[in-house]
C-alpha cells in the first residue's frame, strides 16, 4: 500500500455522507487503488452515537469498516465524477474476538481491501484491529447507486 496524501477527520467527513459525531474515523493513514487503512479514536468517546447502555458493541466495527470503504470509494473515483451512493448489502464471514470496543484503550486501525467488483458492486474484506490484534474481521458487499438499479434508459423502472 502506498502512502499518498492522508486525510484527517474533516477531510474524511467531506467525502462521505457521515458528518459530526457519526463520522467515526480520525484519519486515513494509507491507501491505494485496492486498499485503505484508517485510524479511529471515537470508540473511546462517551458520546459515540453507536453506544448503547452497555457500551460500544463489537458489531459496531462493521460501521467503522463501512466508513473506510466509503472513503476508499471516494478516493479512487475519477476526478470530477459525481459521488456515488453506496449501500452495505451484506456482511459475511464476520469473526468477532471481543465483546465491546469501548474497553479497547488503543487506537483502532481499520483496513479494507477490495477483493473484486465492477461498476455497481464491490466485495471488500475488512479488519478492525488494535495493538496488532484483530478484533473484528469479515467481508462486505457494497452496492453502488442501488436506487438506479432496475431503471430503464429514461431513468424510470423497466
Amino acid at each position: 500500500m502506498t502512502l499518498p496524501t492522508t486525510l484527517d477527520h474533516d477531510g474524511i467527513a467531506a467525502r462521505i455522507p457521515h458528518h459530526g459525531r457519526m463520522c467515526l474515523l480520525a484519519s486515513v493513514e494509507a491507501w491505494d487503488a485496492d486498499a485503505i487503512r484508517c485510524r479511529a479514536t471515537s470508540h473511546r468517546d462517551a458520546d459515540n452515537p453507536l453506544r448503547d447502555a452497555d457500551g460500544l458493541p463489537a458489531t459496531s466495527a462493521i460501521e467503522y469498516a463501512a466508513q473506510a470503504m466509503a472513503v476508499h470509494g471516494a478516493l479512487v473515483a475519477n476526478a470530477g465524477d459525481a459521488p456515488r451512493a453506496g449501500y452495505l448489502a451484506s456482511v459475511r464471514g464476520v469473526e468477532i474476538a471481543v465483546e465491546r470496543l469501548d474497553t479497547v484503550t488503543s487506537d483502532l486501525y481499520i483496513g479494507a481491501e477490495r477483493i473484486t467488483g465492477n461498476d455497481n458492486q464491490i466485495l471488500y474484506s475488512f479488519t478492525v484491529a488494535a495493538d496488532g490484534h484483530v478484533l473484528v474481521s469479515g467481508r462486505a458487499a457494497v452496492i453502488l447507486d442501488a436506487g438506479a438499479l432496475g431503471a430503464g434508459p429514461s431513468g424510470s423502472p423497466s
Side-chain angles (χ1 to χ4, degrees), residues 21-151:
R21 290 185 352 227
M22 196 54 212
C23 179
L24 302 172
L25 304 174
S27 63
V28 171
E29 302 291 306
W31 66 277
D32 61 25
D34 298 316
I36 190 165
R37 184 170 187 245
C38 301
R39 184 178 59 82
T41 60
S42 62
H43 62 290
R44 297 187 296 255
D45 296 346
D47 65 346
N48 184 304
L50 302 179
R51 282 180 79 114
D52 62 23
D54 297 322
L56 185 64
T59 54
S60 299
I62 295 168
E63 178 61 26
Y64 283 83
Q67 289 189 22
M69 293 172 218
V71 176
H72 185 252
L75 290 170
V76 299
N78 293 324
D81 283 357
R84 297 181 69 194
Y87 300 92
L88 194 61
S90 70
V91 292
R92 307 260 183 192
V94 176
E95 295 186 18
I96 300 174
V98 294
E99 186 175 328
R100 296 175 19 205
L101 297 179
D102 58 301
T103 59
V104 177
T105 58
S106 300
D107 292 355
L108 298 179
Y109 287 91
I110 301 94
E113 183 174 355
R114 183 181 171 130
I115 298 171
T116 188
N118 58 34
D119 289 343
N120 295 312
Q121 303 174 62
I122 304 168
L123 181 62
Y124 280 97
S125 64
F126 67 87
T127 59
V128 177
D131 288 330
H133 300 286
V134 174
L135 308 176
V136 179
S137 64
R139 295 180 315 281
V142 177
I143 304 295
L144 300 174
D145 297 331
L149 295 178

